[in-house]
Amino acid sequence: DTGVSQDPRHKITKRGQNVTFRCDPISEHNRLYWYRQTLGQGPEFLTYFQNEAQLEKSRLLSDRFSAERPKGSFSTLEIQRTEQGDSAMYLCASSSTSGRDEQFFGPGTRLTVL
Amino acid sequence: QKEVEQDPGPLSVPEGAIVSLNCTYSNSAFQYFMWYRQYSRKGPELLMYTYSSGNKEDGRFTAQVDKSSKYISLFIRDSQPSDSATYLCAMRLTGGGNKLTFGTGTQLKVEL
């Protein structure tokens, strides 16, 4: 299966700790997106990359959040000094500008901050 | 007011029923419209992708877009218990960033 993969699938952490999530997009997809989804809500956009360049960041992405895509392939999302309000599902999606630019999602990383 | 409004449900229908799911939106600049299906604790799965106004059919699924009314619909024919999931509408602008703006999702249950 060459779909979008995310690691870990679940993360439980204590408030104040740092966490890092990884996303591997579909091969040859040049765009990669991060979204956050809380219970009973639709996903909310956080940021996106085209190749290694971070082209847009949501105002939801506070200074405690940082995302990278160093070689234009996989991406990491780091949250520093986690807060209980950061508990959510973090979704990664990828797309290709050579097609219809449809976004395909991974299974998500569920974060619980105690 | 949210840019995209969607009735959260839950919507419960008998097997074999025709299901109608809807979203309204406020930003007339949205040009691309999508429906995603999301099973519990899974990532969203793309079902339908349409550009501008019109209808698109794929198997038991039909997507409709009415830009004049800022209203989109997804119809599911001959609904099955396996269709039980949350259905998310999503839309995006042409150019100027590719972020998707989602509705809250409608929870659907198809009962035997």
Side-chain angles (χ1 to χ4, degrees), chain A residues 6-11 89 106-111, chain B residues 41-43:
Chain A
Q6 293 187 244
D7 184 69
R9 296 291 309 276
H10 305 274
K11 179 70 177 178
M89 173 82 93
T109 294
R110 182 168 296 278
L111 173 66
Chain B
R41 297 182 176 272
K42 304 290 186 184

Side-chain angles (χ1 to χ4, degrees), chain A residues 15-101:
Chain A
R15 189 176 52 188
Q17 298 295 305
N18 298 345
V19 294
T20 300
F21 310 141
R22 176 181 170 123
C23 172
D24 287 87
I26 293 171
S27 298
E28 299 175 357
H29 274 192
N30 56 342
R31 285 182 171 164
L32 186 149
Y33 311 79
W34 286 98
Y35 292 82
R36 180 172 67 188
Q37 185 177 27
T38 54
L39 197 62
Q41 301 298 316
E44 293 178 294
F45 171 80
L46 293 178
T47 188
Y48 99 95
F49 295 83
Q50 181 157 321
N51 300 314
E52 65 275 9
Q54 189 173 18
L55 296 187
E56 187 172 351
K57 292 170 62 173
S58 164
R59 56 182 170 77
L60 293 176
L61 214 65
S62 75
D63 291 345
R64 297 184 297 105
F65 287 71
S66 62
E68 295 182 341
R69 194 182 183 197
K71 296 183 179 179
S73 57
F74 74 91
S75 175
T76 57
L77 178 69
E78 181 183 16
I79 309 174
Q80 296 182 327
R81 305 181 303 282
T82 52
E83 302 173 356
Q84 288 186 325
D86 297 331
S87 296
M89 173 82 93
Y90 290 84
L91 293 162
C92 176
S94 68
S95 71
S96 170
T97 52
S98 64
R100 296 193 300 180
D101 220 1

Side-chain angles (χ1 to χ4, degrees), chain B:
Chain B
Q1 185 181 4
K2 292 186 176 182
E3 277 192 290
V4 180
E5 298 281 355
Q6 185 175 10
D7 186 336
L11 177 63
S12 184
V13 301
E15 183 179 10
I18 296 174
V19 177
S20 172
L21 303 167
N22 312 294
C23 287
T24 59
Y25 61 95
S26 57
N27 188 346
S28 58
F30 284 131
Q31 291 283 356
Y32 295 88
F33 304 91
M34 286 131 275
W35 286 94
Y36 285 84
R37 177 174 63 195
Q38 186 173 29
Y39 293 111
S40 182
R41 297 182 176 272
K42 304 290 186 184
E45 172 193 5
L46 182 62
L47 284 177
M48 302 290 281
Y49 179 99
T50 55
Y51 171 71
S52 195
S53 285
N55 294 357
K56 182 176 181 180
E57 187 173 325
D58 184 1
R60 297 185 296 111
F61 299 92
T62 299
Q64 289 185 351
V65 176
D66 181 349
K67 291 195 67 185
S68 63
S69 301
K70 299 192 186 72
Y71 188 88
I72 69 171
S73 301
L74 178 70
F75 298 95
I76 307 173
R77 291 183 298 280
D78 187 25
S79 55
Q80 304 295 311
S82 59
D83 295 327
S84 298
T86 296
Y87 290 81
L88 296 154
C89 64
M91 45 201 79
R92 69 175 178 89
L93 308 172
T94 297
N98 278 28
K99 68 177 184 180
L100 296 180
T101 301
F102 283 86
T104 55
T106 298
Q107 187 179 352
L108 171 67
K109 184 172 183 180
V110 181
E111 302 196 57
L112 290 168

